[in-house]
């Protein structure tokens, strides 16, 4: 039986780069800064490819929405085992206004036309930490969702998913089609090795424009200000416990 | 419940993960601990996929990319096929590029006469310049007359990383296959001993040297000719120089440490450049600073840095701290005050010049750029030389490709000798070694004034550099620890904060790529005799001496993740015990326009 998985991958500022706020405080500087695939998306992609290797999945399609440079991340996804890639292109100027809701809408359009059995995503992107796309999409499609997955086992027409939640580990079974988001300990992603990078150049990468798909990109939120965290004030040293208590009383942390 | 089990396990596991066996740092890299003898590798398939090219170029810097572009330009012009491949260990072109930089555009003019229309990020002309000798509080200007090596009229201040990125775009448009994030790890040889190409790095090896589930072998890139464009002290260049006996004199080096600052717009003078010598270095210690004002994307930036020669004898010398100290000089501090530091990095540079340029050609390959030691230290410029040497190499290689299975570009070095690259190196060959006389800096300046500015470098003798840099270190008894001022967090900073600005990282679970030929030497020699100089000359805090887990004394700790690929340790380790090899591709610093 066919099982096709759509994997969302996002191009974000590389995790090791030290970000700086733009002088006009409208965001962080992304021009010229190194970007790479969102680490949680790498994990989601790896899980889909692993399932394909176990023959539980028949096709893995990578998906990304954004400016022209998204193609770099999609080529990396193809090098890491995706069969096809879809790029929903929006003009660079609008890229900073892109929100999870728009991405979910785009994914829905793709699923409606191309029929997928599951959508795998990283649990959140490391640039906005939104953690919204998966749930929004599940809501739109009326699909079950299995978020923060740390283990995935195919089970006939369902997936048995172990999730990491605040209280511990939660194991649920979701019937397909479903949305799944990957957490850190789900797997260790493979490397994009040179022979695969070369082969990936020949794999299909389809480009569609958000406008042509009729996706409403009106922003729901407005970025008011982005600023650096306040500089940490140096602490003070005290010589002994009575002095500590006096200081705490002085600052109003304990009752005098 | 999970907490109770983990503490004991954590200790045992962390010791294995920490590369420390019996209280001693242990090298696990396969270049030192061969896998053919290792039982953990007995059942692993080590075959590699291969691909054939006309030319493979190791390194995507100004030299490597110029060579690639020139080859494709020649192929276009003559209507011939030519498969050119560039492998670059940085995740993106420019991410490992670090330079001042004030460049002469003569090589760029030849490669792309219309570089300005093509959008090359070369626009900031030098508008004003000064050279000075610093004293603790004062500043003695040095007159800039035509002929002074550091005169820069007509040159451009650039962010070299951005130029490299632009060159990469031109190269791709010209049909070069560029693979960033792929490190060349091994030189391959034909049966007759000529260079066959390179193998890229393996991935998925654990810290203890064993194969992980994700292990995959690197790929073999075979070429008729392999161009080594790794930059200063490239690790594969080092191998071929040894194998083919290319060196006549030991190369001599410096370490360049650089910061990028966004300064107060009121203090910004775009196009103004400054070079200083003297304080904080003593008159017998070679080195100096650069300070360039450049406007970039509307921001008032200053590129500021310090070059410290690595032939220093005092094991307590700390190049990073000397740089921080230099910034506190009143004439420098006043430019930086109110500004913000936005970048940091370091890289070794060649200082040896003419005397130390090795034989450049060997069966199946050649060296270009800083890998060939072509940097002109008197002018403090190597970019135009790297680009030109890449172009000359390409012109020597291209005609040979059609009829030969392996190309040894024997016309490359003679052709290079006729160009400005070698002519200018020859003219200023005695300036740097003049410094090593008893008269130190003032002797060298007098020498340069007399024999270079006036004499144009035509004196018939050639001074030598003497012993290699690593052998010039004095034992700790003859020196005293140097007290450097504490960082103030505004003008001067601590090392680890600086390292975080480089964006460097390496996957933790891999063998440390800073390999030791003998694991006992760091404590028995470096620490005992020289008081651990590696903890002071590394600009990234890779080397630390920490209390040993087993009993008394200290052991070496190698924080490989911090490495910024500067190669200083490979150069300055007193017994050459440290051998820098490439980590997995895509790792290391993530410089942006440095």
């Amino acid at each position: 039986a066919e099982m096709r998985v759509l994997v969302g991958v996002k191009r974000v500022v590389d995790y090791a780069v030290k970000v700086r706020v733009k002088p006009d405080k409208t965001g962080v500087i992304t021009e010229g800064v190194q970007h790479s695939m969102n680490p949680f998306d790498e994990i989601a992609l790896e899980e889909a490819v692993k399932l394909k290797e176990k023959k539980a999945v028949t096709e893995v399609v990578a998906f990304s929405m954004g400016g022209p440079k998204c193609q770099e991340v999609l080529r990396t996804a193809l090098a890491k085992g995706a069969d096809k890639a879809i790029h929903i292109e929006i003009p660079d100027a609008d890229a900073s206004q892109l929100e999870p809701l728009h991405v979910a809408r785009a994914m829905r359009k793709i699923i409606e036309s191309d029929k997928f059995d599951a959508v795998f995503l990283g649990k959140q992107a490391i640039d906005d930490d939104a953690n919204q796309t998966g749930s929004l999409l599940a809501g739109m499609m009326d699909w079950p969702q299995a978020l923060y997955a740390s283990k995935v086992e195919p089970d006939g027409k369902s997936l048995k998913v172990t999730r990491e939640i605040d209280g511990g580990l939660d194991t649920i079974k979701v019937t397909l089609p479903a949305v799944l988001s990957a957490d850190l300990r789900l797997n260790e992603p493979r490397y994009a090795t040179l022979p695969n990078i070369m082969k990936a150049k020949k794999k299909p990468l389809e480009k569609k424009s958000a406008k042509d798909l009729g996706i409403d990109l009106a922003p729901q939120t407005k970025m008011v200000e982005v600023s650096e965290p306040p500089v940490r004030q140096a602490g003070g040293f005290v010589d002994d416990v009575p002095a500590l208590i006096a200081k705490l009383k002085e600052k109003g942390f304990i009752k005098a | 419940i999970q907490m109770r089990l983990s503490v004991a396990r954590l200790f045992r596991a962390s010791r294995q993960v920490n590369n420390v066996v019996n209280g001693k740092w242990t090298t696990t890299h396969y270049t030192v601990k061969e896998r053919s003898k290792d039982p953990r590798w007995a059942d692993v398939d080590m075959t590699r996929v291969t691909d054939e090219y006309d030319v493979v170029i190791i390194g995507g810097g100004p030299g490597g990319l110029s060579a690639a572009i020139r080859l494709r330009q020649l192929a276009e012009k003559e209507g011939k096929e030519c498969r050119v491949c560039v492998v670059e260990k940085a995740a993106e072109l420019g991410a490992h590029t670090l330079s001042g930089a004030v460049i002469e555009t003569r090589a760029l003019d030849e490669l792309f006469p219309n570089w300005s229309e093509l959008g090359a990020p070369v626009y900031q002309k030098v508008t004003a310049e000064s050279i000075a000798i610093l004293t603790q509080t004062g500043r003695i200007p040095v007159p800039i007359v035509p002929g002074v090596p550091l005169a820069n009229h007509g040159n451009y201040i650039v962010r070299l990383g951005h130029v490299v990125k632009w060159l990469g775009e031109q190269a791709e448009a010209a049909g070069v296959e560029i693979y960033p994030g792929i490190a060349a790890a091994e030189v391959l040889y034909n049966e007759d001993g000529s260079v066959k190409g390179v193998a890229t790095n393996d991935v998925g090896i654990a810290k203890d040297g064993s194969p992980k589930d994700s292990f995959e072998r690197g790929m073999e890139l075979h070429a008729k000719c392999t161009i080594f464009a790794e930059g200063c002290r490239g690790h594969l260049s080092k191998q071929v120089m040894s194998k083919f006996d290319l060196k006549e004199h030991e190369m001599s080096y410096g370490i360049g440490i650089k910061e990028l600052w966004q300064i107060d717009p009121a203090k910004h003078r775009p196009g103004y450049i400054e070079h200083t010598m003297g304080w904080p270095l003593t008159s017998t210690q070679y080195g100096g600073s650069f300070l360039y004002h450049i406007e970039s994307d509307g921001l008032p930036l200053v590129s500021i840095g310090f070059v410290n020669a690595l032939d220093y004898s005092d094991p307590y010398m700390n190049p990073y701290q000397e740089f921080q100290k230099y910034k506190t000089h009143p004439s420098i501090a006043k430019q930086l005050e109110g500004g913000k530091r936005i970048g940091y990095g370091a890289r070794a540079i060649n200082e040896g010049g003419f005397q130390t340029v090795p034989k450049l050609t060997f069966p199946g390959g050649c060296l270009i750029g800083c890998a060939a030691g072509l940097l002109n230290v008197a002018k403090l410029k190597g970019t135009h030389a790297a680009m030109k040497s890449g172009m000359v190499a390409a012109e020597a290689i291209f005609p040979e490709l059609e009829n030969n299975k392996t190309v040894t570009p024997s016309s490359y070095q003679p052709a290079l000798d006729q160009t400005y690259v070698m002519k200018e190196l020859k003219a200023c060959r005695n300036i740097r070694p003049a410094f090593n006389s008893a008269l130190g800096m003032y002797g060298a300046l007098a020498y340069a004034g007399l024999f270079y500015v006036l004499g144009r470098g035509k004196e018939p003798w050639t001074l030598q550099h003497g012993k290699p840099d690593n052998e010039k270190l004095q034992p700790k008894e003859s020196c005293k620890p140097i007290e450097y001022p504490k960082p103030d967090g505004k003008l001067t900073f601590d090392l680890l904060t600086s390292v975080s600005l480089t964006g460097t990282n390496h996957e933790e679970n891999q063998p440390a790529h800073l390999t030791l030929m003998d694991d006992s030497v760091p404590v028995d020699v470096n620490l005992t005799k020289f008081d651990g100089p590696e903890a002071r000359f590394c600009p990234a805090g890779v080397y630390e001496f920490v209390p040993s887990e087993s009993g008394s004394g200290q052991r070496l700790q190698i924080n490989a993740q911090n490495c910024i690929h500067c190669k200083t340790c490979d150069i300055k380790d007193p017994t050459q015990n440290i051998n820098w090899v490439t980590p997995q591709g895509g790792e290391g610093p993530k410089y942006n326009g440095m």
Side-chain angles (χ1 to χ4, degrees):
Chain A
E2 262 215 350
M3 161 125 169
R4 299 177 71 234
V5 177
L6 186 69
V7 181
V9 293
K10 186 178 181 187
R11 179 176 180 262
V12 296
V13 172
D14 186 274
Y15 72 91
V17 165
K18 198 141 174 136
V19 283
R20 286 188 298 127
V21 176
K22 280 198 224 174
D24 62 6
K25 296 198 165 187
T26 56
V28 297
I29 297 177
T30 53
E31 185 68 40
V33 162
Q34 211 181 305
H35 286 67
S36 44
M37 192 190 294
N38 182 39
F40 294 109
D41 299 347
E42 288 187 328
I43 296 171
L45 174 64
E46 175 64 21
E47 197 60 23
V49 174
K50 269 196 162 70
L51 288 173
K52 190 173 83 162
E53 287 168 348
K54 287 188 204 150
K55 310 275 191 230
V57 163
T58 48
E59 193 182 16
V60 175
V61 179
F63 168 105
S64 193
M65 185 165 176
K69 293 208 180 132
C70 282
Q71 304 209 12
E72 293 166 6
V73 158
L74 286 170
R75 286 283 167 213
T76 306
L78 291 169
K80 289 191 179 204
D83 301 295
K84 269 190 4 214
I86 300 174
H87 175 206
I88 310 294
E89 185 162 15
I90 60 172
D92 251 335
D94 300 337
S96 58
Q97 309 266 54
L98 196 61
E99 292 168 4
L101 182 61
H102 309 142
V103 179
R105 284 181 184 147
M107 287 189 129
R108 172 170 61 172
K109 276 271 156 71
I110 298 297
I111 295 167
E112 282 168 356
S113 62
D114 291 359
K115 298 285 169 280
F116 285 94
D117 301 288
V119 174
F120 286 16
L121 306 161
K123 72 170 178 180
Q124 63 199 61
I126 62 171
D127 53 3
D128 59 15
D129 282 338
N131 176 15
Q132 293 169 16
T133 312
S135 304
L136 286 168
L137 181 64
M140 283 177 190
M141 304 295 302
D142 200 23
W143 284 8
Q145 52 182 339
L147 308 181
Y148 324 122
S150 66
K151 190 161 164 194
V152 175
E153 294 156 288
D155 187 357
K157 287 209 163 63
S158 317
L159 288 177
K160 192 164 132 199
V161 180
T162 304
R163 316 162 53 224
E164 288 191 14
I165 59 174
D166 291 345
L169 297 175
D170 174 37
T171 306
I172 60 174
K173 192 155 119 169
V174 287
T175 42
L176 298 171
V179 171
L180 181 134
S181 86
D183 206 333
L184 190 64
R185 279 160 283 274
L186 178 56
N187 59 51
E188 201 185 310
R190 69 195 58 198
Y191 304 88
T193 55
L194 189 54
N196 291 324
I197 292 173
M198 290 176 171
K199 283 187 213 148
K201 288 193 188 171
K202 307 200 183 89
K203 290 187 181 174
L205 197 162
E206 217 184 305
K207 208 161 65 166
K208 299 179 200 262
S209 95
K211 213 163 54 139
D212 293 344
L213 286 176
I215 299 165
D216 178 7
L217 292 179
Q220 307 278 304
T221 59
K222 179 175 159 205
M223 184 68 71
V224 173
E225 185 193 285
V226 176
S227 56
E228 294 206 356
V231 176
R232 191 156 170 230
Q233 299 301 317
F237 280 92
V238 290
D239 289 325
D240 51 31
V241 176
L244 173 63
I245 294 182
K247 262 262 146 69
L248 288 172
K249 284 187 182 160
E250 186 191 299
K251 297 215 176 242
F253 293 124
I254 57 177
K255 286 208 183 91
Chain B
I1 310 154
Q2 287 170 328
M3 286 285 287
R4 229 190 296 141
L5 296 167
S6 64
V7 173
R9 283 233 194 104
L10 196 65
F11 268 104
R12 258 175 279 140
S14 68
R15 210 178 298 154
Q16 278 179 311
V17 163
N18 280 344
N19 264 97
V20 179
V21 176
N22 295 329
K24 184 166 85 172
W25 179 272
T26 308
T27 298
T28 54
H29 200 277
Y30 64 81
T31 51
V32 175
K33 303 274 156 73
E34 280 184 42
R35 290 176 292 192
S36 53
K37 305 181 182 136
D38 189 331
R40 299 171 301 182
W41 289 88
D43 299 320
V44 178
D45 182 9
M46 299 296 265
T47 51
R48 286 189 281 223
V49 174
T50 67
D51 202 356
E52 311 287 325
Y53 287 89
D54 289 294
V55 181
V56 163
I57 300 173
I58 308 172
L65 290 171
S66 300
I69 291 168
R70 196 82 191 98
L71 283 166
R72 290 294 310 160
Q73 284 176 342
L74 290 167
E76 238 338 270
K77 196 171 90 161
E78 314 219 352
K80 297 209 171 108
E81 288 287 317
C82 186
R83 253 195 113 191
V84 180
C85 171
V86 173
V87 283
E88 166 55 52
K89 62 173 162 55
E92 278 182 7
L93 290 184
H96 287 185
T97 300
L98 187 113
S99 183
V102 173
I103 65 168
E104 287 178 19
T105 55
R106 47 196 322 188
L108 184 59
D109 295 335
E110 291 172 37
L111 192 63
F112 291 113
N114 59 339
W115 53 259
S116 187
E117 281 117 62
L118 289 175
V122 180
Y123 50 82
Q124 186 76 74
K125 261 209 155 115
V126 171
T127 54
E129 45 185 329
S130 84
I131 303 178
I133 300 175
L134 295 182
T135 63
Q136 185 149 11
T137 46
R139 191 191 166 89
I140 309 168
V142 171
I144 303 177
V145 299
V148 164
L150 282 172
N152 275 295
H153 183 74
N155 293 331
Y156 287 82
I157 307 170
V158 297
R159 293 176 69 176
L160 195 60
H162 288 168
V163 176
V164 167
K165 216 170 181 172
W166 176 84
L167 281 172
E169 289 160 15
Q170 308 312 305
E172 279 194 314
V176 177
E177 288 177 54
I178 306 184
Y179 295 110
I182 303 290
E186 193 187 322
V187 181
L188 302 168
Y189 299 95
N190 288 309
E191 300 244 316
D192 62 2
S194 61
V195 171
K196 185 160 105 173
V198 292
T200 64
N201 60 285
D202 293 346
V203 291
I205 304 178
K207 219 170 163 63
D208 64 3
S210 62
K212 293 199 282 195
D213 288 334
S214 50
F215 173 75
E216 264 187 74
R217 200 80 163 109
M219 194 171 152
E220 291 191 10
L221 302 170
H222 297 170
K224 295 185 175 181
C225 190
T226 306
I227 301 180
F228 288 69
E230 295 174 291
C232 176
R233 195 78 172 194
H235 76 295
L236 295 180
S237 308
K238 187 178 161 188
Q239 277 178 34
V240 291
M241 278 201 256
S242 167
K243 183 174 165 88
F244 294 107
D245 205 22
L246 303 174
K247 273 194 289 197
E248 275 153 28
H249 293 106
E250 279 301 321
M251 290 174 129
S252 176
Y253 304 88
I255 174 176
I257 308 183
K258 166 184 165 166
E259 292 177 356
L260 198 58
W261 281 70
Q262 187 178 322
I263 66 168
D264 183 346
K267 302 185 181 174
H268 197 235
R269 300 163 57 188
Y272 170 63
I273 67 170
E274 197 180 290
H275 290 104
T276 73
M277 288 164 282
W279 192 85
L281 298 177
T282 64
S283 65
T284 50
Q285 169 62 39
Y286 187 83
S289 76
F290 61 84
L291 201 163
Y292 308 143
H293 286 233
I294 179 173
E295 188 181 311
S296 179
D297 291 326
L299 294 175
L301 300 185
V302 161
S303 169
I304 177 172
F306 206 80
V307 176
N308 201 324
L310 285 175
D311 65 349
Y312 64 81
S313 55
D314 185 346
Y316 292 104
M317 161 77 69
N318 188 321
Y320 172 82
Q321 293 295 349
E322 297 289 341
F323 175 36
Q324 298 304 307
K325 201 167 156 194
Y326 146 80
K327 285 187 287 172
T328 63
H329 189 276
S331 69
I332 309 297
K334 74 167 194 261
Q335 297 184 57
L336 298 178
E337 251 140 34
K340 188 168 160 205
R341 186 176 72 154
I342 62 175
Y344 165 85
R347 183 74 171 88
I349 73 168
N350 292 289
E351 293 195 349
F354 188 76
Q355 298 88 314
T356 64
V357 173
K359 288 199 276 267
L360 299 179
T361 311
F362 43 91
C366 61
L367 303 168
I368 67 169
C370 285
L374 299 177
L375 186 134
N376 183 331
V377 71
K379 288 208 277 195
L380 206 56
K381 288 179 179 51
T383 306
H384 66 296
M387 291 178 72
K388 181 65 173 167
S389 66
M391 291 155 67
V392 173
E395 285 153 11
I397 293 168
F398 186 76
E400 306 286 318
L401 290 171
E402 195 155 13
N403 298 314
N404 295 298
K405 202 166 151 281
T406 304
V407 171
T408 301
S410 36
S411 62
Y412 162 51
Q413 193 152 15
L416 194 66
D417 285 339
Q418 299 304 313
T419 66
Y420 51 82
V421 174
M422 295 311 287
K423 287 187 179 158
E424 62 177 74
L425 279 185
K426 187 161 183 205
C428 66
R429 71 193 180 285
N430 286 323
I431 297 179
R432 174 69 182 87
F435 210 91
N436 294 339
S437 79
L439 294 169
M441 173 171 69
Y442 295 101
L445 286 174
Y447 188 99
L450 191 60
F451 289 103
Y452 183 77
V453 180
L454 294 175
R456 313 311 290 137
K458 294 211 170 30
E459 68 272 33
W461 58 83
T462 299
L463 303 173
Q464 297 302 329
H465 297 284
K467 290 192 283 201
D469 294 339
N470 59 290
E471 289 179 25
K472 290 191 176 168
L473 210 55
Q474 294 292 315
K476 67 183 188 208
E477 283 75 24
S478 60
C479 308
K480 276 200 322 275
I482 304 177
E483 270 280 332
Y484 287 103
K486 292 230 171 317
D488 66 10
K490 288 207 271 290
L491 206 57
T492 58
F493 304 90
D494 64 286
L495 187 60
L496 292 179
T497 305
S498 304
V499 177
S500 71
L501 274 181
T502 64
T504 193
N505 201 8
H506 296 82
E507 191 186 339
E508 206 195 331
N509 195 13
Q510 69 175 308
H513 64 280
L514 301 131
T515 67
L516 306 170
M517 302 291 93
D518 179 340
D519 290 334
S520 315
V521 167
V523 171
D524 295 348
V525 179
N526 291 32
L527 188 59
T528 308
K529 196 163 168 211
F530 303 101
D531 211 3
E534 57 266 61
R536 283 181 281 277
F537 59 55
C538 173
V542 169
Y543 301 97
E544 279 185 284
F545 282 94
V546 298
S548 170
E549 283 83 350
S550 72
S552 60
Q554 296 186 302
R555 67 160 177 87
L556 181 66
Q557 167 67 25
I558 298 183
N559 304 311
Q561 282 182 279
N562 287 16
C563 182
I564 56 178
H565 299 206
C566 78
K567 315 296 173 64
T568 301
C569 56
D570 191 286
I571 294 165
K572 192 59 175 174
D573 183 76
T575 55
Q576 297 287 275
N577 190 45
I578 299 175
N579 188 37
W580 189 100
V581 299
T582 186
Q584 287 173 168
E587 300 182 339
K590 299 199 161 87
Y591 298 139
N592 176 9
M594 288 291 274

